[in-house]
């Protein structure tokens, strides 16, 4: 059978033209396209591979100038680019392509890719190609047509997976862990880092609090700790607070929390109102702290007016693939256009799946029920999550937090490496129940000293019940 019967070069060219015309489409197809198998034409394969590298490392906006500069960065790549016609060829393909029809181009590419794979494996395909309804067939139809043979093919449709022999490489795995322990990035909270083995890739952390108790503020400390102090690229997606509010939290977090090295004392209220003691104070906050933030930040921030699962997936993939984001933060988990708990669980599942697929860490906040105010922090469970009681099955680490009422301070002690101490009536404390932990222990309650006015979160140790005094008899 001739090779011309086993490809659709037109669809290949139009698919490439659609990508260059509308680069965001790459996010939707990056996990589906396997250029080694899917493009029969070498020039088309070259243009796809070049686009992929361009999108991930150079720019997410395609222009003639940017693409020419990118091609010039590698001699061999530039030679091939010029050989096939350079920008003129791409421009022509962009003009002919209809990005809205990209799904049809993709399906045709996959169909012929699958046929070539069957042929490479030595299976008879002549009868299939000459079938009277072949032109209407899709890749899935071809798989059904030759189902009894498809078990031997695992390279094209969905990438395919094979079982591994668990135990075969155990010594290598042990040596790898000894050399490079399975720890993620550290949190600005040492006990969290120890309990969860750091903020690990492929893991989803969910932090729950009552409404207006500081979910975003705790998240802001972690975001700035990773994205500014540690210079790790992070993405923040929000559907409640706006950009100005996050700028204010960034300023107060970095000014006041000792981890950032400034140890200043200024209320966020005063920052947003421009209330400074004098010009010297403003100069320090603006030119010393502000300049340090501008020189070190690796935070990408996006307000989501729409926050469907598809919107989340598209934005996360775009920033991970194109900008090298390693950790994604989402504030707040909620149902899309509904309060149905099932939609919240679906969104949580989507975040977990993306974390695993893209090898990133994910962190999300969620709201606890109003009735939680009546529950002791020790008794918090996933049943206190508003509209999403079943998401516990999905997440890797679930922390449930609430403010400890001052009327209960005498019931508790703070336990840490220095011993045990009472709660200070002049301070505010939050208890954190570790309800689920795939990194180690769970069920314990941590305690954090909190100053929301300055966005200070200081982890102190474990919250324990004060022993009851024995009655004198």
């Amino acid at each position: 059978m001739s090779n011309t019967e086993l490809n659709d070069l037109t669809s290949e060219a139009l698919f490439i033209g659609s990508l260059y015309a509308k680069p965001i489409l790459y996010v939707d197809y990056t996990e589906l396209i396997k250029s080694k198998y899917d493009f029969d034409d070498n020039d088309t394969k070259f243009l796809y591979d070049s686009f992929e590298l361009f999108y991930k490392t150079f720019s997410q906006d395609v222009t003639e100038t940017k693409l020419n500069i990118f091609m010039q960065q590698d001699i061999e790549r530039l030679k091939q680019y010029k050989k096939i016609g350079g920008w003129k060829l791409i421009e022509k393909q962009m003009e002919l392509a209809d990005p809205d029809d990209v799904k049809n181009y993709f399906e045709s590419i996959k169909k012929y890719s699958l046929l070539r794979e069957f042929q490479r494996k030595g299976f008879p395909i002549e009868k299939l190609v000459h079938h009277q309804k072949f032109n209407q067939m899709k890749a899935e139809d071809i798989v059904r047509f030759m189902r009894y043979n498809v078990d031997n093919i695992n390279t094209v449709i969905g990438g395919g997976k094979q079982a591994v022999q668990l135990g075969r490489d155990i010594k290598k795995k042990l040596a790898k862990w000894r050399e490079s322990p399975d720890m993620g990035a550290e949190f600005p909270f040492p006990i969290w880092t120890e309990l969860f083995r750091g903020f690990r890739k492929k893991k989803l952390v969910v932090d729950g609090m009552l409404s207006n108790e500081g979910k975003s503020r705790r998240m802001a400390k972690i975001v700035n700790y990773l994205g500014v102090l540690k210079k790790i690229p992070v993405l923040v997606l929000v559907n409640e607070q706006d950009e100005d509010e996050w700028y204010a939290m960034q300023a107060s977090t970095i000014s006041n929390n000792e981890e950032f090295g400034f140890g200043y004392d200024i209320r966020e209220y005063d920052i947003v109102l421009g209330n400074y003691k004098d010009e010297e104070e403003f100069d320090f906050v603006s030119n010393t702290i502000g300049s340090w933030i501008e020189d070190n930040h690796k935070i990408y921030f996006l307000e989501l007016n729409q926050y469907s699962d598809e919107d989340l997936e598209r934005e996360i993939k775009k920033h991970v693939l194109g900008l090298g984001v390693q950790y994604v933060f989402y504030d707040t988990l909620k149902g899309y256009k509904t309060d149905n708990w099932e939609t919240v669980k679906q969104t949580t599942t989507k975040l977990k799946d993306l974390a695993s697929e893209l090898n990133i860490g994910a962190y999300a906040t969620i709201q606890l029920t109003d009735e939680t105010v009546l529950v002791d922090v020790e008794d918090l469970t996933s049943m206190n999550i508003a509209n999403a009681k079943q998401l516990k099955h999905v997440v890797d680490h679930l922390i449930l937090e609430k403010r400890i009422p001052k009327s209960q301070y005498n019931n508790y002690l703070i336990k840490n490496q220095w011993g045990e101490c009472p709660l200070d009536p002049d301070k505010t404390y939050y208890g954190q129940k570790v309800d689920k932990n795939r990194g180690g222990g769970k069920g314990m309650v941590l305690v954090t000293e909190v100053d929301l006015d300055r966005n200070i979160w200081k982890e102190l140790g474990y919250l324990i019940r004060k022993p009851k005094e024995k009655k004198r008899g």
Side-chain angles (χ1 to χ4, degrees), residues 365-426:
T365 60
I366 197 164
Q367 185 170 317
L368 302 184
T369 62
D370 292 340
E371 294 79 11
T372 300
V373 71
L374 303 175
V375 180
D376 285 344
V377 66
E378 299 166 297
D379 299 324
L380 291 177
T381 70
S382 58
M383 296 299 291
N384 297 107
I385 298 172
N387 303 318
K389 299 172 184 177
Q390 295 192 24
L391 64 76
K392 180 176 178 178
H393 306 298
V394 180
V395 307
D396 298 288
H397 311 287
L398 179 60
I399 305 110
L400 306 173
E401 307 196 39
K402 65 168 296 187
R403 187 191 302 249
I404 302 172
K406 294 200 173 188
S407 61
Q408 296 181 14
Y409 278 16
N410 286 332
N411 298 334
Y412 297 104
L413 292 172
I414 299 169
K415 182 177 181 178
N416 52 37
Q417 65 266 41
W418 296 289
E420 299 175 359
C421 64
L423 280 66
D424 187 335
D426 294 327

Side-chain angles (χ1 to χ4, degrees), residues 4-186:
T4 56
E5 293 183 86
L6 294 180
N7 61 42
D8 182 356
L9 301 184
T10 299
S11 289
E12 290 185 20
L14 293 175
F15 182 83
I16 294 299
S18 297
L19 284 186
Y20 279 87
K22 191 176 180 181
I24 191 63
L25 290 173
Y26 172 74
V27 172
D28 298 327
Y29 290 95
T30 177
E31 296 299 319
L32 303 175
I33 285 290
K34 313 294 179 186
S35 69
K36 178 180 178 181
Y37 302 100
D38 291 338
F39 298 111
D40 195 43
D41 181 76
N42 288 331
D43 293 345
T44 305
K45 181 180 182 301
F46 167 78
L47 288 176
Y48 179 84
D49 292 341
S50 296
F51 177 88
E52 184 172 50
L53 187 62
F54 174 87
Y55 190 90
K56 287 183 176 181
T57 65
F58 193 82
S59 175
Q60 295 177 329
D61 177 37
V62 176
T63 66
E64 179 179 4
T65 300
K66 289 183 178 180
L67 194 62
N68 287 340
I69 293 173
F70 168 75
M71 292 295 181
Q72 290 169 8
Q73 292 179 347
D74 183 277
I75 296 176
E76 293 302 319
R77 185 169 65 211
L78 181 60
K79 287 181 180 178
Q80 181 67 12
Y81 179 61
K82 290 181 176 179
K83 181 180 178 182
I84 65 176
W87 177 257
K88 289 184 178 180
L89 173 65
I90 294 173
E91 191 174 38
K92 182 178 180 181
Q93 291 180 341
M94 290 167 63
E95 290 174 355
L96 294 173
D98 180 1
D100 293 333
D101 206 24
V102 70
K103 184 177 180 181
N104 290 328
Y105 307 150
F106 168 78
E107 288 178 349
S108 180
I109 289 171
K110 276 295 180 183
K111 180 171 82 170
Y112 284 96
S113 175
L114 183 60
L115 280 174
R116 293 193 297 273
E117 187 65 10
F118 270 116
Q119 185 186 57
R120 280 192 289 268
K121 297 294 184 181
F123 298 123
I125 60 173
E126 289 83 358
K127 183 178 179 181
L128 178 60
V129 173
H130 295 106
H131 192 281
Q132 60 180 351
K133 294 186 178 181
F134 175 74
N135 289 335
Q136 287 78 46
M137 286 184 181
K138 297 180 179 180
E140 293 78 6
D141 300 317
I142 293 172
V143 171
R144 284 193 290 268
F145 192 88
M146 300 185 72
R147 185 175 297 279
Y148 70 97
N149 286 321
V150 80
D151 287 341
N152 293 315
I153 298 178
N154 55 33
T155 55
V156 180
I157 295 297
K161 292 187 176 180
Q162 290 182 320
V164 299
Q165 295 179 18
L166 193 64
R168 182 185 62 183
D169 295 323
I170 184 65
K171 290 193 293 184
K172 291 182 180 178
K173 188 68 68 175
L174 294 172
K176 177 184 176 183
W177 284 334
R178 186 178 186 186
E179 180 180 341
S180 179
D182 185 18
M183 284 285 293
E186 67 177 354

Side-chain angles (χ1 to χ4, degrees), residues 200-417:
R200 290 177 289 155
K201 304 292 180 64
K202 300 185 178 181
K203 303 302 179 184
L204 171 60
V205 180
V206 170
D207 184 24
M209 290 189 199
L210 286 158
S211 177
N212 202 37
E213 283 286 82
K215 296 186 299 294
S216 302
R217 293 181 175 278
R218 182 189 273 277
M219 178 186 279
K221 179 168 181 178
I222 301 172
V223 165
N224 285 285
Y225 185 80
L226 295 178
V228 182
L229 184 64
K230 299 298 183 180
K231 300 181 184 179
I232 300 173
V234 302
L235 170 65
V236 181
L237 301 168
V238 303
N239 54 43
E240 290 186 349
Q241 294 182 306
D242 60 27
E243 181 181 334
D244 281 349
E245 290 172 303
W246 271 82
Y247 262 122
M249 288 190 293
Q250 181 178 60
S252 61
T253 298
I254 293 176
S255 294
N256 295 311
N257 283 275
E258 60 186 20
E259 291 90 342
F260 297 93
F262 297 102
Y264 208 65
D265 180 19
I266 183 168
R267 296 186 306 166
E268 188 174 303
Y269 179 87
D270 291 322
I271 291 174
V272 297
L273 291 183
N275 293 333
Y276 296 92
K277 299 173 185 175
D278 47 39
E279 284 301 313
E280 184 178 352
E281 181 178 62
F282 175 71
D283 182 71
F284 180 79
V285 174
S286 177
N287 293 327
T288 301
I289 299 176
S291 295
W292 181 78
I293 294 172
E294 290 186 353
D295 290 342
N296 293 282
H297 71 91
K298 294 287 184 181
I299 300 173
Y300 299 95
F301 179 87
L302 184 64
E303 295 178 49
L304 292 180
N305 295 322
Q306 300 292 325
Y307 49 91
S308 67
D309 290 353
E310 292 74 18
D311 296 318
L312 286 175
E313 180 172 5
R314 178 172 292 243
E315 294 302 333
I316 290 171
K317 284 188 172 181
K318 181 174 73 174
H319 286 81
V320 172
L321 297 172
L323 298 171
V325 160
Q326 297 182 35
Y327 293 94
V328 171
F329 294 81
Y330 183 42
D331 186 35
T332 303
L333 277 171
K334 58 176 63 177
Y336 178 54
K337 296 182 178 180
T338 177
D339 286 331
N340 189 326
W341 69 264
E342 291 182 350
T343 63
V344 182
K345 184 180 179 182
Q346 289 170 3
T347 300
T348 308
T349 301
K350 173 63 69 176
L351 285 174
K352 171 59 181 174
D353 290 345
L354 287 170
S356 298
E357 174 189 334
L358 300 173
N359 192 33
I360 58 174
Y363 182 110
T365 60
I366 197 164
Q367 185 170 317
L368 302 184
T369 62
D370 292 340
E371 294 79 11
T372 300
V373 71
L374 303 175
V375 180
D376 285 344
V377 66
E378 299 166 297
D379 299 324
L380 291 177
T381 70
S382 58
M383 296 299 291
N384 297 107
I385 298 172
N387 303 318
K389 299 172 184 177
Q390 295 192 24
L391 64 76
K392 180 176 178 178
H393 306 298
V394 180
V395 307
D396 298 288
H397 311 287
L398 179 60
I399 305 110
L400 306 173
E401 307 196 39
K402 65 168 296 187
R403 187 191 302 249
I404 302 172
K406 294 200 173 188
S407 61
Q408 296 181 14
Y409 278 16
N410 286 332
N411 298 334
Y412 297 104
L413 292 172
I414 299 169
K415 182 177 181 178
N416 52 37
Q417 65 266 41

